[in-house]
Amino acid sequence: MSKKQLAARWGIDFMTAFLLAAAFAAGTMAHAQTEDQAWLRYAGGPGRSTVPVSIRALGSSEMEHSAVQELQRGIAAMTGAQPANSGQGETVVGTLDEVRAAFPGLQVPAHLAAHGFWLKRTVWHGRPLVIVAGSNEHGALFGAFDLLRRVATGADFSHLDAIESPAMPIRWVDEWDNADGVVTRGYDGRSIFFEGGKVRDDLSEATAYARLLASVGINGCNVNNVNDAAPFLEPGMIKGLARIADAMRPWGVRLAISVDIASPQKVGGLKTFDPLDPDVKAWWTAKVNEIYQQIPDLAGVTVKADSEGQPGPASYGRSPADAANVLANALAPHGGVVLYRAFVYNNHLDYSDMKADRARAAYDIFHPLDGQFAPNVIVQIKYGPIDFQAEEPVSPLFAGLHKTNEAVELQITQEYLGQQRHLVYLAPLWKEKLDFDLHAESRSTLVKEIIEGKSFNRPLGGMIGVSCVGRDNWLGAPLAMANLYAFGRLAWNPNLSAEQIAAEWTKQTISTDPQVVATVDKMLMQSWPTYVHYTGFLGTQTLTDITGSHYGPNIEASERNGWGQWHRDDAKGIGMDRSVATGTGYSGQYPPALAKIYESIATTPEDELLFFHHMPWTYKLHSGKTVIQYVYDIHYQGTEEAAQLGNEWATLKGKIDPQLFEDERARLEYQAGHAIMWRDAIVQYFFKESGIPDTLGRAGHYPGRLEAEDAHLSGYKVIDVAPWEDASGGKAVACDPSSAQKTCTAEWTYNGHAGRFNVAVQYFDLQGAVAHFTLGTNGTEIVSWAANDKFPSHAPNGDNSTRFTAHGPDGRGIELKPGDTLRVEGAPDASDPAALDYIEIDPAE
Ligand code: GCW
């Protein structure tokens, strides 16, 4: 950002802008991406702790070494203490056996569960002793991080005597990195692992990432995309993968990879990839052996097959169990596992078939196979039956597999939830799913207990988080890192609350000041409901462009195609009838108690109503509001809540790191503007479709709004925006490429009362190009800015519709009186026509 843009955007004076720009530049140079920018800053500790700073490992393993290094670094940073004389005692790290041997006579727990740890503060021969003991060295490493978390969050150490162990064995993140360095559904730069078809030379970021993952208990990382995975089994690539495994090993994070089920043909040159073919079996066995020779601790493989164009066993009339088992048998001797994804569905469904239903697919395909999977196969199930939606019921498949290991797949990267440009803390959503009771076998079976293996007595199970980090600060937005943190903490212990995790994260990342912690946590907890309120309603599927960016609104994109993310709206109503009696029968896939609840309109929870039933716009909800009135109200409420997030953050000024403050402040300002665009798109679309007015008169009426298409235009031409709902009134203006003018102008005459006003300009910031804008009154420029953010799409639409608000030179508004002219001037760039939707004039007070 230039200084002038900074000044324009933030309404600050030139000198402050200069200093901030310098700080940004220095900041970028000083900290290329490191894990220390995340929750491992070790800066927010309470300033003292009773953990002795003399720290040693009792054994010689690599992970104990990592643990000691981490403790030394963390304790010293948080307490300011230097390694002291032995009179102040010591902290030791080891396995339980090592502790027993080193401190004979000390009372130690008889046993620790796998990867568990014991933290103990005691006195040994008159000197303080803190023990970090693991069931093995990996447990000791987790224990070290836990001890550091306790120091950073100000825990009481006086009676420290804690035993913990992970709730489930599989705690992995999945990355969707491609060999060319592009991260699918990643919003934060290129791959930390791959570039140009190869593993990167510099894997320091892979090590740093592993450290972050280990700190929250994650033990596996699948590094490549589930799509197009065949090249990863080429011999050269396996060598590279072995280097990644080496880079992550000191932190106990085991490598996993995605494999293409057609590899025997694509890589091995066989005529077939039929999983029951003996040559195919032999090929997999040999390939797996080849991998383990180089990566002896490979955690396992993930498979996406017969889904979204990926090849699979269906080509040969074989089942997912056949495909999973051929891999499982090859992996079993090495201790590896297969994560077979239940995300298998036909994406060529017939929209006109009222019985067709993508939500049914996973259960229809996998339930009949229960009991047929090898013991080292885990079926990996997305939390909902469709696809990482902001609101969607729990997948019934969790209750449909009793003799099969299960893992839940969550998404850390915010594919359908604002792509890290919007603040959405996901732990409350995940908790809702994990705590959900499916009532299988007419007893309590919570999702978290199913994946822990408890409900159906399974040896394996776990949680997978699709993370998709990149080189641009992992998840890009600093607050989005709370999601990565929360994922690990919940996989370790799904009984933690979203609030508790938020507080832990804030204390470690931002500040331990109670007011800061309370404010940030309130914002985090409110952020998911807020996002839902301005982007959807009552369990509709996503209203984004489902075949494109998954970001801005595009209501029609989900309809009339084979993808099955339908909401089936028309002039009379909206929603999918998934009942057994009259619909697709999906609700009958749940155990009887739930099936009954979802079958009936009266008992279906309203936040899932339109997922299960097609309802008239005039249907009255429990509140007495009609569905359409709810649509209007909730979207206006959502935009107010989005603005409120920014107001909350503003109270932190001067209390937190200034760079973080400004970064998030700008993000929240953008989000509040984008929420308005979402609101208007949805409200105007369904208002037009239903023809039912808003009882509060807001739909279709925008006080203070002056449309660009109604302005006096010079160089600008009126355009239709696609989809129409993404522009106010469906139209915008764009510079006419055939015009000789270098800039284009839109001018309005102000006819309201005299006073001070904030003027918002809604414009389109196209990808890969930089247009410039200025706003002025009566021929004098007030402010200028560049459309240089990074949004999806090369055409003007809701992906890139952006709001810039001018608050006047002193921040108290722009003075206007009747007859004044307001003018926006756009300077296009070769591929960005400086398109403009409207301006909106709101009283400054
Ligand atoms: O949500 C969808 C994504 C695809 C992804 C797929 C999946 C990797 O849009 O990009 O493919 O899910 O989970 O397999």
Side-chain angles (χ1 to χ4, degrees):
M1 251 187 211
S2 75
K3 291 178 280 293
K4 194 169 173 198
Q5 289 152 17
L6 264 173
R9 181 142 273 211
W10 296 347
I12 48 180
D13 65 51
F14 185 81
M15 199 54 205
T16 318
F18 178 80
L19 292 172
L20 272 167
F24 271 139
T28 336
M29 281 183 317
H31 327 269
Q33 166 168 296
T34 76
E35 63 277 35
D36 298 328
Q37 291 159 315
W39 57 85
L40 297 180
R41 294 169 63 226
Y42 299 131
R48 55 176 184 276
S49 102
T50 47
V51 179
V53 290
S54 163
I55 301 159
R56 70 181 165 104
L58 299 176
S60 56
S61 70
E62 199 173 24
M63 277 188 257
E64 281 184 31
H65 176 73
S66 299
V68 167
Q69 228 186 348
E70 190 72 21
L71 283 167
Q72 282 166 343
R73 176 177 183 170
I75 302 287
M78 285 189 284
T79 61
Q82 298 300 317
N85 62 52
S86 54
Q88 289 173 333
E90 64 171 352
T91 300
V92 295
V93 178
T95 64
L96 203 54
D97 288 343
E98 286 162 356
V99 170
R100 254 189 221 111
F103 305 97
L106 185 81
Q107 237 193 333
V108 302
H111 172 75
L112 291 173
H115 292 176
F117 57 79
W118 174 51
L119 302 180
K120 173 75 177 170
R121 184 168 184 277
T122 185
V123 173
W124 182 252
H125 293 315
R127 291 205 309 260
L129 174 66
V130 169
I131 297 169
V132 179
S135 61
N136 61 6
E137 56 276 10
H138 205 169
L141 178 62
F142 291 136
F145 277 114
D146 197 78
L147 186 74
L148 286 162
R149 179 162 38 244
R150 287 167 196 258
V151 177
T153 55
D156 178 9
F157 276 79
S158 42
H159 300 101
L160 177 66
D161 189 357
I163 290 182
E164 279 204 26
S165 62
M168 50 195 104
I170 309 279
R171 304 180 304 282
W172 293 9
V173 287
D174 277 9
E175 312 297 328
W176 286 346
D177 294 29
N178 300 296
D180 64 1
V182 171
V183 182
T184 297
R185 308 298 176 193
Y187 307 104
D188 330 291
R190 298 179 66 79
S191 171
I192 64 172
F193 302 111
F194 306 103
E195 194 59 72
K198 300 194 304 240
V199 171
R200 295 177 67 211
D201 292 335
D202 177 6
L203 290 174
S204 53
E205 281 163 294
T207 302
Y209 187 43
R211 176 176 166 236
L212 266 181
L213 297 177
S215 76
V216 285
I218 291 169
N219 61 356
C221 178
N222 182 330
V223 292
N224 66 303
N225 192 356
V226 286
N227 293 337
D228 304 320
F232 293 83
L233 293 184
E234 299 285 358
M237 191 57 113
I238 295 172
K239 270 203 190 104
L241 290 168
R243 285 181 41 242
I244 301 180
D246 294 344
M248 297 196 296
R249 189 171 293 114
W251 298 102
V253 176
R254 291 169 69 184
L255 180 85
I257 55 171
S258 299
V259 298
D260 182 333
I261 212 71
S263 303
Q265 194 176 65
K266 291 184 182 168
V267 181
L270 301 188
K271 287 204 180 66
T272 174
F273 61 90
D274 177 353
L276 298 190
D277 182 284
D279 289 344
V280 169
K281 287 186 187 174
W283 188 87
W284 278 117
T285 304
K287 184 50 85 176
V288 166
N289 292 345
E290 177 192 338
I291 298 172
Y292 274 91
Q293 260 165 24
Q294 296 174 63
I295 313 169
D297 55 355
L298 182 87
V301 302
T302 305
V303 179
K304 173 179 179 178
D306 290 321
S307 170
E308 301 184 332
Q310 296 307 305
S315 307
Y316 301 95
R318 310 299 186 201
S319 75
D322 295 328
N325 292 348
V326 67
L327 289 165
N329 293 338
L331 287 156
H334 306 281
V337 293
V338 178
L339 272 293
Y340 201 97
R341 297 177 87 222
F343 187 64
V344 180
Y345 71 100
N346 168 10
N347 64 333
H348 300 285
L349 289 176
D350 176 4
Y351 182 77
S352 67
D353 175 1
M354 298 304 282
K355 300 283 178 197
D357 188 359
R358 168 170 164 184
R360 292 188 57 116
Y363 189 94
D364 282 346
I365 296 168
F366 284 82
H367 171 66
L369 301 175
D370 191 20
Q372 294 183 26
F373 290 95
N376 58 332
V377 175
I378 298 128
V379 174
Q380 177 171 326
I381 308 168
K382 289 193 183 185
Y383 60 84
I386 300 284
D387 190 10
F388 302 134
Q389 303 296 283
E391 242 182 6
E392 144 177 57
V394 164
S395 170
L397 183 57
F398 290 107
L401 297 174
H402 300 193
K403 292 173 271 174
T404 304
N405 304 316
E406 298 177 65
V408 66
E409 181 175 323
L410 305 173
Q411 202 181 35
I412 297 163
T413 188
Q414 296 168 227
E415 175 180 354
Y416 287 96
L417 285 118
Q419 303 185 354
Q420 277 95 294
R421 297 182 192 93
H422 292 231
L423 173 66
V424 185
Y425 175 52
L426 295 164
L429 161 65
W430 297 338
K431 275 296 282 183
E432 191 182 281
K433 306 306 169 200
L434 291 167
D435 292 345
F436 190 79
D437 193 344
L438 279 153
H439 297 289
E441 299 175 336
S442 304
R443 60 187 170 91
S444 168
T445 51
L446 308 181
V447 170
K448 62 187 172 193
E449 292 174 357
I450 294 174
I451 60 170
E452 285 174 39
K454 278 187 192 157
S455 301
F456 306 123
N457 198 20
R458 299 299 315 167
L460 286 174
M463 251 165 80
I464 310 291
V466 176
S467 175
C468 302
V469 297
R471 294 169 64 188
D472 177 13
N473 292 329
W474 314 113
L475 289 170
L479 271 64
M481 292 298 277
N483 291 327
L484 182 59
Y485 181 85
F487 171 78
R489 296 292 287 142
L490 286 172
W492 182 274
N493 179 5
N495 294 323
L496 294 173
S497 74
E499 290 90 340
Q500 188 180 343
I501 296 171
E504 274 182 11
W505 177 82
T506 305
K507 285 180 191 167
Q508 292 169 84
T509 313
I510 301 182
S511 168
T512 51
D513 172 342
Q515 194 239 320
V516 174
V517 176
T519 305
V520 174
D521 295 354
K522 186 173 163 208
M523 290 173 62
L524 290 175
M525 291 304 295
Q526 181 56 38
S527 60
W528 168 52
T530 295
Y531 185 80
V532 171
H533 292 163
Y534 62 77
T535 58
F537 50 95
L538 306 172
T540 50
Q541 286 301 280
T542 182
L543 300 174
T544 59
D545 180 356
I546 64 136
T547 55
S549 66
H550 295 190
Y551 186 57
N554 190 334
I555 295 161
E556 278 289 293
S558 305
E559 301 282 75
R560 281 166 280 280
N561 58 39
W563 292 93
Q565 285 184 258
W566 307 323
H567 33 84
R568 294 198 181 278
D569 62 284
D570 59 27
K572 295 220 170 70
I574 182 165
M576 281 275 291
D577 181 355
R578 292 186 156 108
S579 68
V580 173
T582 55
T584 69
Y586 165 80
S587 59
Q589 293 184 336
Y590 288 91
L594 276 174
K596 192 165 165 226
I597 289 173
Y598 292 141
E599 182 68 12
S600 141
I601 291 168
T603 51
T604 299
E606 283 189 341
D607 56 1
E608 305 293 2
L609 186 63
L610 302 176
F611 192 91
F612 286 99
H613 302 282
H614 183 83
M615 305 303 301
W617 291 115
T618 51
Y619 174 78
K620 285 216 168 100
L621 299 167
H622 298 314
S623 63
K625 261 181 207 178
T626 60
V627 169
I628 189 71
Q629 191 57 41
Y630 179 84
V631 174
Y632 301 145
D633 290 352
I634 201 68
H635 285 84
Y636 275 86
Q637 180 186 323
T639 46
E640 276 164 31
E641 289 168 353
Q644 183 55 24
L645 291 175
N647 297 341
E648 302 269 2
W649 187 257
T651 66
L652 303 181
K653 188 167 189 169
K655 300 197 167 99
I656 64 172
D657 176 69
Q659 199 174 323
L660 172 66
F661 178 81
E662 280 304 332
D663 178 271
E664 186 59 24
R665 195 204 60 74
R667 287 172 191 278
L668 291 166
E669 183 180 283
Y670 161 75
Q671 179 177 349
H674 205 228
I676 292 173
M677 191 277 311
W678 261 101
R679 174 197 75 191
D680 292 351
I682 290 176
V683 166
Q684 72 174 348
Y685 185 94
F686 292 116
F687 175 46
K688 184 173 171 194
E689 184 175 56
S690 70
I692 302 173
D694 171 8
T695 54
L696 296 179
R698 295 157 304 188
H701 299 285
Y702 305 101
R705 187 172 295 188
L706 300 172
E707 296 290 346
E709 56 272 25
D710 298 334
H712 176 73
L713 302 176
S714 165
Y716 268 131
K717 238 172 66 176
V718 177
I719 57 162
D720 288 323
V721 168
W724 73 270
E725 68 269 20
D726 285 5
S728 185
K731 294 197 185 303
V733 301
C735 280
D736 180 355
S738 63
S739 150
Q741 284 179 238
K742 279 223 168 67
T743 62
C744 311
T745 59
E747 196 167 279
W748 303 262
T749 305
Y750 177 70
N751 287 322
H753 64 271
R756 284 179 167 271
F757 300 88
N758 296 323
V759 179
V761 179
Q762 195 77 28
Y763 65 100
F764 299 90
D765 183 349
L766 269 49
Q767 192 182 83
V770 181
H772 290 80
F773 292 91
T774 64
L775 170 71
T777 53
N778 302 325
T780 307
E781 176 185 326
I782 300 176
V783 52
S784 71
W785 68 98
N788 60 358
D789 277 315
K790 288 193 185 122
F791 299 118
S793 186
H794 295 277
N797 60 36
D799 285 340
N800 47 46
S801 177
T802 311
R803 198 178 184 89
F804 174 87
T805 304
H807 300 279
D810 55 4
R812 293 175 46 236
I814 296 170
E815 253 181 80
L816 290 175
K817 57 181 184 321
D820 282 352
T821 58
L822 284 141
R823 187 158 89 150
V824 173
E825 184 171 299
D829 160 317
S831 53
D832 184 340
L836 182 67
D837 192 359
Y838 61 82
I839 63 169
E840 197 165 276
I841 303 168
D842 293 317
E845 298 297 284

